[in-house]
Amino acid sequence: VTSSTASLENLLAGLSAEVGETVHLGLRSGDHAVYIHKVEGRQPYFMASYVGMRLGLHCTAIGKCILAHLPEAEVAAIAERTGLRPRTTATITDPARLADELATIRQRGYGIDNEENERTIRCLGVPVLDAAGAPLGAVSLSTVVFLLELPQLERLAPVVSAVASRVAALLSRP
């Protein structure tokens, strides 16, 4: 295990311990994202996610954080190739609505998956950007909707953002 990997794991474990929720680090992999780290929260439930799991970009907090920092033409090309397939009734499937959502993410600094990928699961993601501002992936918190209301989750954005910045610094090291 390299010191960077250990540092990443410590950062993510520290975030999970601080907020009590499940933490993921997902990186872009072509037209998808892939979880590369997961730390279970201390809640009485477990997320069905796993390291190596592929994620849609249009229906997850991590994915939308990635899309929000790509050029519009690239977002359109990804949407064309993958389709904006519904995962739940809350999934954004309209390109114009997705564009509005991505603009909101860029403005506020975080993305939300409000039961868009999986019913009863809500996530907040903060992008992990390289030095040029290109998206590498995102750090996210995942919870169940009946334990943490959306405003409570959004109040955790600054804590997640601080960790995402440190993750970006670690991933950008040569």
Side-chain angles (χ1 to χ4, degrees):
V1 177
T2 67
S3 63
S4 288
T5 301
S7 296
L8 276 175
E9 290 170 0
N10 290 339
L11 279 172
L12 300 173
L15 175 59
S16 180
E18 182 175 348
V19 300
E21 304 299 335
T22 299
V23 172
H24 294 97
L25 171 59
L27 298 182
R28 182 179 180 195
S29 179
D31 290 345
H32 296 87
V34 175
Y35 288 137
I36 66 160
H37 287 284
K38 176 185 178 183
V39 181
E40 284 288 354
R42 60 179 177 264
Q43 302 299 339
Y45 60 84
F46 294 94
M47 295 287 160
S49 57
Y50 55 89
V51 171
M53 183 176 187
R54 282 176 25 136
L55 313 169
L57 296 180
H58 74 290
C59 59
T60 61
I62 287 175
K64 290 190 290 182
C65 285
I66 292 168
L67 290 177
H69 291 86
L70 293 175
E72 281 183 36
E74 191 171 352
V75 172
I78 290 168
E80 174 90 14
R81 286 190 300 270
T82 64
L84 299 178
R85 293 184 184 88
R87 298 266 305 152
T88 71
T89 57
T91 305
I92 296 172
T93 58
D94 175 62
R97 189 162 159 240
L98 180 62
D100 289 346
E101 176 84 357
L102 300 180
T104 298
I105 292 167
R106 285 188 296 274
Q107 183 266 325
R108 71 180 175 202
Y110 62 89
I112 296 289
D113 160 5
N114 196 10
E115 298 186 83
E116 296 166 52
N117 187 55
E118 192 175 345
R119 288 191 44 187
T120 74
I121 303 297
R122 181 179 287 139
C123 305
L124 178 143
V126 175
V128 173
L129 307 174
D130 69 13
L136 300 171
V139 173
S140 74
L141 296 182
S142 298
T143 188
V144 289
V145 297
F146 51 84
L147 285 180
L148 199 62
E149 296 290 329
L150 185 57
Q152 293 171 293
L153 182 63
E154 289 185 299
R155 281 195 287 278
L156 298 173
V159 178
V160 182
S161 184
V163 171
S165 294
R166 293 178 66 194
V167 168
L170 282 171
L171 293 179
S172 298
R173 285 187 182 161

